[in-house]
Amino acid sequence: MAIDASTAEQRSPPASLLSQLVRKPSQEQIILLITLALLVVFSITLPGFSNLANLLNLVRSISILGILGLGMGLIVISRGIDLSEVAIMAGSWSVALIEIQRGTPVFWAVIVALVIAVLIGVANGVMVAFVEAPPLFVTLAAGFVIYGAAFWYAPSWVVYAPKPEDAPYLAYLGHDYLFGVPMPIFVFALAAVAMHLFLSRTSTGRFIYSQGDNPEAARLTGVALRPLIVLEYVVVALLAWLAGLVWIGTTGSMQMGIVQGTYIFDVILVVVLGGISLVGGRGGVFSVVVGCALIGTLFNAFTIMDINSEVQNIIKGVVLLSAIVLDNWLHPRDEETARQGE
């Protein structure tokens, strides 16, 4: 007996419905659920963890990391990387603080830090876009050059900023409060909203995703990749400058030692952990936010439990490897290859 085609079509669920039913959760969703679970567990087991003051301190502690993560996330989405971001932050502001100590007005010292950061961003972008050098090695070398030059100009591991009462505008974003909430939280939130609008609502943002997804296809469709790459590294430098401004207000100084530490790997960790793929073209601001939330929750709990830094580094390494495995499970390599047209 023949079966009418329309009847068979009605009996078979639509392919899109089946795909939705078996669809894997996104990495952002998994990390968010893990973070919520840890918040509940730590609130029950750790005294003082769930206090409002501690939770505000938790969010404040990840604000600078989050601002840097927004820049790193942008460059990773475009299929690049910038290992000099922390060096840009520390180097530009170390020079600016030395200038303030030498009598330069605070306003012009801030402009000096901004100009240095932008020039480094332009140099990184030109090397990657026009010289076509690998971004990993370009930015790694840039980090060494920045560190050496800044330490030669300001030969001190710690360069102190003026007291908040002497330079209130310099310290405002990192030191003050608004409605009882630390200002670094507002800075991170505003930067995240601005980055989200930039990536999702502008043609340049769409070009960045196209570049990360398939650079050759983006070029063939008319995207000017070389100026776009320079712009991306300038945006990273601007966010590094902003993070440095918040850092100075929070700590009252700039520590050159962070350039040689693991802080840049913390930035990469929150980006990869949140779901921004190292092969480019996927992820967004929410990825950075959930990655920061998980890392901030763990760090805050580690502080309360008084876990030493060596054990924390081991845990961070395990978390990073787990994030890479999770990314490969959610997006198998053959799927990535087919998606990128390679």
Side-chain angles (χ1 to χ4, degrees):
M1 178 180 178
I3 299 177
D4 183 69
S6 61
T7 304
E9 184 178 348
Q10 291 175 0
R11 291 179 181 176
S12 301
S16 59
L17 178 58
L18 286 175
S19 62
Q20 290 177 6
L21 292 175
V22 300
R23 185 174 56 184
K24 296 177 182 177
S26 68
Q27 187 165 334
E28 291 91 342
Q29 293 170 341
I30 294 175
I31 297 302
L32 179 60
L33 290 175
I34 293 174
T35 303
L36 294 175
L38 289 176
L39 286 171
V40 172
V41 171
F42 290 148
S43 297
I44 296 172
T45 59
L46 296 179
F49 180 85
S50 58
N51 291 344
L52 179 60
N54 182 66
L55 293 178
L56 285 176
N57 183 60
L58 187 159
V59 181
R60 178 177 186 163
S61 68
I62 62 173
S63 296
I64 298 174
L65 184 65
I67 295 170
L68 293 170
L70 293 173
M72 186 66 72
L74 169 72
I75 210 70
V76 172
I77 288 173
S78 70
R79 204 185 286 200
I81 197 166
D82 191 344
L83 298 181
S84 66
E85 188 177 18
V86 172
I88 294 173
M89 177 184 74
S92 62
W93 279 107
S94 293
V95 172
L97 293 181
I98 285 293
E99 286 301 312
I100 292 176
Q101 294 177 4
R102 293 176 178 175
T104 302
V106 172
F107 173 80
W108 291 112
V110 171
I111 297 300
V112 166
L114 178 61
V115 170
I116 292 173
V118 170
L119 289 176
I120 295 171
V122 170
N124 284 342
V126 169
M127 288 295 294
V128 173
F130 293 92
V131 181
E132 298 185 358
L136 175 68
F137 298 112
V138 168
T139 57
L140 179 63
F144 286 125
V145 171
I146 296 165
Y147 174 78
F151 199 77
W152 170 77
Y153 188 83
S156 176
W157 286 105
V158 181
V159 185
Y160 291 97
K163 295 180 180 179
E165 55 269 22
D166 296 332
Y169 297 108
L170 183 65
Y172 178 72
L173 293 183
H175 182 266
D176 286 19
Y177 290 77
L178 183 63
F179 307 117
V181 179
M183 281 302 301
I185 298 177
F186 287 104
V187 177
F188 177 34
L190 291 174
V193 171
M195 180 62 73
H196 172 71
L197 294 176
F198 173 69
L199 288 174
S200 63
R201 301 297 177 87
T202 67
S203 58
T204 303
R206 291 190 289 271
F207 291 159
I208 290 173
Y209 278 101
S210 299
Q211 174 194 354
D213 187 59
N214 193 320
E216 184 62 22
R219 184 186 65 81
L220 292 175
T221 56
V223 177
L225 288 184
R226 297 182 192 273
L228 181 62
I229 291 172
V230 175
L231 173 64
E232 291 160 0
Y233 281 94
V234 169
V235 172
V236 174
L238 288 173
L239 287 167
W241 172 85
L242 177 62
L245 181 59
V246 177
W247 183 294
I248 288 172
T250 302
T251 65
S253 63
M254 180 54 69
Q255 298 83 24
M256 284 301 298
I258 61 173
V259 178
Q260 292 188 323
T262 62
Y263 200 65
I264 186 63
F265 300 108
D266 292 342
V267 178
I268 297 173
L269 174 61
V270 300
V271 169
V272 176
L273 181 62
I276 296 181
S277 175
L278 291 173
V279 299
R282 188 179 66 248
V285 170
F286 186 62
S287 304
V288 176
V289 172
V290 297
C292 284
L294 178 54
I295 293 301
T297 301
L298 289 174
F299 284 2
N300 189 269
F302 292 160
T303 301
I304 295 175
M305 291 185 287
D306 196 23
I307 295 178
N308 63 54
S309 59
E310 289 79 10
V311 175
Q312 291 188 33
N313 287 334
I314 293 173
I315 295 174
K316 285 190 292 185
V318 172
V319 170
L320 179 57
L321 289 174
S322 301
I324 294 172
V325 172
L326 178 61
D327 178 66
N328 287 336
W329 176 70
L330 293 173
H331 308 94
R333 188 57 50 197
D334 56 347
E335 177 186 324
E336 289 289 349
T337 302
R339 182 177 64 83
Q340 294 168 11
E342 297 175 350

